[in-house]
Amino acid sequence: AQSVTQLGSHVSVSEGALVLLRCNYSSSVPPYLFWYVQYPNQGLQLLLKYTSAATLVKGINGFEAEFKKSETSFHLTKPSAHMSDAAEYFCAVTGRGAQKLVFGQGTRLTINP
Amino acid sequence: NAGVTQTPKFQVLKTGQSMTLQCAQDMNHNSMYWYRQDPGMGLRLIYYSASEGTTDKGEVPNGYNVSRLNKREFSLRLESAAPSQTSVYFCASSEVRGSYPENTEAFFGQGTRLTVV
């Protein structure tokens, strides 16, 4: 079975500041981990994914995430926030042989000017 | 390349009415999913289909039925709509490739905003 916990339903940062969105997972099989972004009134778009290759994964729009097995974490970061990053972000997990894709509760990111 | 297409985009139902949400994908994926999204709840899995001809319950299946009509299409039916089913519904498809995990990714439709009054 798999599950995901996103710490913090709302995160607010200033433009130009570091963005850190936290995700911890539980998985009974080697996990595949994803971050998705959802802009208002739109569907979900893949930011980046970890599927057992490099543990530091780079995605679109300057985001990256690091898979840490010892901490069961897959936190999303961006060095410098931009106003266009304001959106809701979802962490998700599936795994080798798993059939379901399970999402966290989401984190709404607000960027302050 | 259309990806995942959902219809309709918006729907208003009266309590007790029935309707079917349609989903089709053109990526030849084996797995398809139906989620509902509610404020503060993230995306919750309603039903999924790991392959053509199979369906399984997710986290919140009560009040819904699904049909995997063929490899491309996966429909979600509300037999007797209730206000608690007011939500945004997303269909997704994916292919978990054991030999090529780097190709694993889920693609989403644009969503159906359903209101039950």
Side-chain angles (χ1 to χ4, degrees):
Chain A
Q2 283 113 353
S3 67
V4 169
T5 300
Q6 290 183 241
L7 302 176
S9 58
H10 289 91
V11 171
S12 181
V13 302
S14 298
E15 191 174 17
L18 171 72
V19 174
L20 171 60
L21 304 183
R22 299 178 188 272
C23 172
N24 287 90
Y25 72 91
S26 172
S27 178
S28 55
V29 296
Y32 301 154
L33 293 154
F34 306 82
W35 277 100
Y36 283 85
V37 61
Q38 184 182 33
Y39 299 103
N41 299 314
Q42 295 190 25
L44 277 75
Q45 177 184 2
L46 182 69
L47 270 181
L48 49 79
K49 61 184 177 183
Y50 165 78
T51 55
S52 77
T55 57
L56 182 61
V57 181
K58 294 187 185 299
I60 62 172
N61 301 337
F63 284 93
E64 64 181 37
E66 186 171 9
F67 171 68
K68 292 187 177 181
K69 185 177 179 180
S70 62
E71 298 177 9
T72 60
S73 69
F74 190 58
H75 301 331
L76 181 70
T77 60
K78 181 174 180 177
S80 178
H82 191 274
M83 295 299 290
S84 61
D85 295 327
E88 188 150 21
Y89 293 79
F90 293 94
C91 184
V93 64
T94 186
R96 186 182 292 272
Q99 295 180 335
K100 294 190 289 187
L101 179 62
V102 178
F103 282 82
Q105 299 90 332
T107 298
R108 183 166 300 279
L109 177 64
T110 301
I111 311 297
N112 301 314
Chain B
N1 189 351
V4 178
T5 303
Q6 287 182 238
T7 55
K9 288 187 168 55
F10 300 94
Q11 184 71 50
V12 178
L13 289 178
K14 294 182 179 178
T15 297
Q17 286 185 318
S18 63
M19 78 161 295
T20 300
L21 281 65
Q22 307 286 353
C23 176
Q25 53 94 5
D26 61 3
M27 295 169 284
N28 203 36
H29 288 165
N30 281 319
S31 298
M32 297 186 73
Y33 312 84
W34 275 107
Y35 293 90
R36 60 177 289 174
Q37 183 180 23
D38 303 289
M41 307 289 283
L43 278 80
R44 292 182 292 170
L45 184 63
I46 304 171
Y47 272 93
Y48 65 101
S49 171
S51 62
E52 184 179 355
T54 68
T55 61
D56 285 285
K57 295 179 180 180
E59 185 182 353
V60 288
N62 291 346
Y64 305 95
N65 287 300
V66 291
S67 296
R68 185 73 182 266
L69 303 170
N70 47 55
K71 193 170 186 180
R72 289 188 66 249
E73 298 173 288
F74 188 40
S75 63
L76 178 73
R77 183 161 178 84
L78 286 71
E79 291 291 351
S80 179
S84 61
Q85 294 178 305
T86 294
S87 187
V88 180
Y89 292 85
F90 287 99
C91 177
S93 71
S94 73
E95 189 73 20
V96 179
R97 300 180 187 276
S99 299
Y100 301 96
E102 64 274 12
N103 293 330
T104 299
E105 180 179 338
F107 294 82
F108 284 79
Q110 289 300 299
T112 297
R113 189 172 296 273
L114 175 67
T115 302
V116 183
V117 298

